[in-house]
Structure formats: C-alpha cells, structure tokens
Amino acid sequence: MRNWYKYTLEDSNNKKFSSVLEFTSYQIKEDFSDLDKLFEFDFFYKDFSKCIYSYLSKILYGKNLSIGSGWGHLEYHLSKQFDITASDINNEYIKYNKKIEYLITDVISEKFIIDNKYDNVFAPGIIYLFNEKELDIFFENIKKTLNDKGNFYLFFRSNDSFFINLLDNYLLPFENFLKYLFKNIKNKNLKIQRNHHGFRRNSLELEKVIDKSKFKIISKKKDILAVQK
C-alpha cells in the first residue's frame, strides 16, 4: 500500500481539503458540473460507471445494498430493475438524491450496526479511501450486512503498478506544473496543491486482506472481485 496524491491547480487563498472524503467530493463536483444529467440513462451510461452497471445488472437478485454510493446515480438506475438501498457517510448525498432509499452510515466504524441483511452488497470503488486498519474494519462490517452465502462485489479501481506509480508521482505532477506556468501568466493567484486522494494497492495486497477477513473469493475479473461470506 502507498499513499496516493493528486495535484491540482487551486486559488492561492483556498484552504487545503481536511480529509480524503472532502477531496473526493470536490473532485466529483469538478468533473460533473451538472450532476442532474446523470439521472438520464443515456448520459449516465457514457460515464465511468457503465462497466459497473453492466456487470451488476446481470448478477443481482433479492435485496441489495450499495456501500459508498456517493450521489447515487448508479443505484438509481439499478433500482429500476432491483431492490436497491444506497448508503454513504455523507449527509449531502441523501439530501441530493431523494429518488432512492438511502442510509447514512459509517462502514469503517468499530461501532457499525445495520438493521437489515442483504443477499448482495457492492462497493463501487471506495476502498482507495481506507488505510490498512480501516480496510480490516471495512471487511468485518461487510460481513454484518450479508445473509448467509451472501455475495460481496468489490470494484477495485485503485490498483497499483510501476507505471501507475510513475504516472501519479512524476508525469501528472509535471503536467500540472506546465499548466501552472501557462495559466500563471494570466492569473498570479494560482498554486499547485498536493491533495491526499487515498491509498493504492496491488491486487495481491488486497487478496491478502480478503483472506485474513475469512471471505472466500469466488470470482476475479479485471478491477472486480466477488467474494462470499
């Protein structure tokens, strides 16, 4: 595991983000200026969630829970076919998306409690937010959400490698430096800011955590791990 940083151009008067979660929410807002358009399926299906939607729409059944749903667009579109409950720690999301059932919960809390059990639970790419201790707690809490023989689908989009390390720590920072030089000619108030985006792991590191948590890996695809309680 290593710390994952992203470099952005910010106004020199802006404060730094206080947490990984705060920076993540900021990034999503920056990427999608009109979040409401993602409720339109044709627009949503061009988004990065397309592969997740396509995969889940073929295997879900019974009661389903999404962990770390964010703005909940994926869950909204899946709810047209399945019994879906969304969840996140951020109250902002439940206030924004009233189209689906939404729980506010902290899945890395040692006091985590949930009232219902689910046949399938899925996490659409949030494990990069967690350090090693938090990831252990995360898997223990996922067990509490599942029925016997229930399935957990983990979308792993923070895989690490030599090239990705090079990209994160050298190529992208250099790209931002060039942007800074160009834009600073017109705007003297810009600065390059290093933001803690989360943590990167390789697939073997993740599988060791899963083995330690006593889950059984039942399927492995690119960026997707399916495990069973």
Side-chain angles (χ1 to χ4, degrees):
M1 181 192 80
R2 67 173 172 86
N3 286 301
W4 180 9
Y5 295 99
K6 279 195 172 182
Y7 296 81
T8 57
L9 291 182
E10 305 292 342
D11 189 288
S12 59
N13 296 319
N14 285 355
K15 65 176 183 178
K16 289 191 175 182
F17 302 102
S18 61
S19 68
V20 172
L21 281 172
E22 184 181 348
F23 177 64
T24 295
S25 295
Y26 167 81
Q27 286 280 282
I28 293 172
K29 288 179 180 178
E30 286 291 298
D31 290 342
F32 298 102
S33 58
D34 189 356
L35 288 168
D36 286 344
K37 283 191 69 65
L38 288 169
F39 287 123
E40 301 171 16
F41 185 77
D42 288 344
F43 185 82
F44 161 83
Y45 203 60
K46 297 175 184 176
D47 176 46
F48 63 86
S49 295
K50 172 183 177 179
C51 63
I52 302 178
Y53 175 89
S54 296
Y55 180 84
L56 291 174
S57 62
K58 296 173 184 174
I59 51 88
L60 292 183
Y61 64 91
K63 293 181 63 176
N64 305 280
L65 174 68
S66 170
I67 301 289
S69 306
W71 304 98
H73 300 102
L74 168 67
E75 292 71 18
Y76 166 72
H77 292 293
L78 286 170
S79 71
K80 296 177 182 179
Q81 302 178 60
F82 307 102
D83 181 349
I84 301 286
T85 299
S87 70
D88 206 284
I89 193 175
N90 191 336
N91 273 305
E92 182 179 6
Y93 299 136
I94 195 171
K95 293 175 183 176
Y96 165 75
N97 191 345
K98 299 182 182 298
K99 300 176 184 289
I100 53 175
E101 183 179 355
Y102 218 117
L103 298 176
I104 296 300
T105 187
D106 182 0
V107 75
I108 57 170
S109 169
E110 293 177 330
K111 298 179 181 179
F112 175 82
I113 296 174
I114 194 162
D115 294 331
N116 296 308
K117 298 278 189 177
Y118 298 86
D119 299 301
N120 300 288
V121 177
F122 57 93
I126 63 167
I127 63 164
Y128 72 91
L129 299 172
F130 308 142
N131 61 32
E132 290 300 286
K133 180 181 177 181
E134 291 168 339
L135 195 58
D136 287 338
I137 296 170
F138 172 77
F139 277 106
E140 286 304 310
N141 287 338
I142 291 297
K143 286 182 182 177
K144 299 175 184 178
T145 70
L146 285 168
N147 288 322
D148 290 339
K149 299 298 181 182
N151 302 307
F152 175 49
Y153 299 98
L154 183 65
F155 295 88
F156 182 43
R157 296 182 294 184
S158 52
N159 204 348
D160 204 5
S161 68
F162 173 79
F163 175 73
I164 291 173
N165 195 348
L166 182 69
L167 188 69
D168 286 344
N169 293 308
Y170 297 97
L171 299 181
L172 291 178
F174 181 68
E175 180 186 12
N176 271 281
F177 177 70
L178 294 179
K179 289 180 181 177
Y180 167 77
L181 291 179
F182 178 75
K183 292 186 176 182
N184 206 43
I185 297 173
K186 299 179 180 179
N187 185 352
K188 300 294 184 182
N189 291 320
L190 288 178
K191 65 177 180 179
I192 298 174
Q193 182 165 293
R194 189 175 80 155
N195 309 283
H196 193 193
H197 188 54
F199 305 90
R200 282 199 185 274
R201 299 170 175 87
N202 62 48
S203 57
L204 289 178
E205 288 176 312
L206 180 59
E207 288 178 31
K208 286 180 181 179
V209 176
I210 293 171
D211 288 340
K212 185 170 65 172
S213 68
K214 307 300 183 184
F215 273 106
K216 176 185 176 183
I217 297 176
I218 57 175
S219 176
K220 288 192 289 185
K221 293 187 177 182
K222 184 180 182 296
D223 301 334
I224 302 172
L225 277 171
V227 302
Q228 195 171 72
K229 186 175 176 182

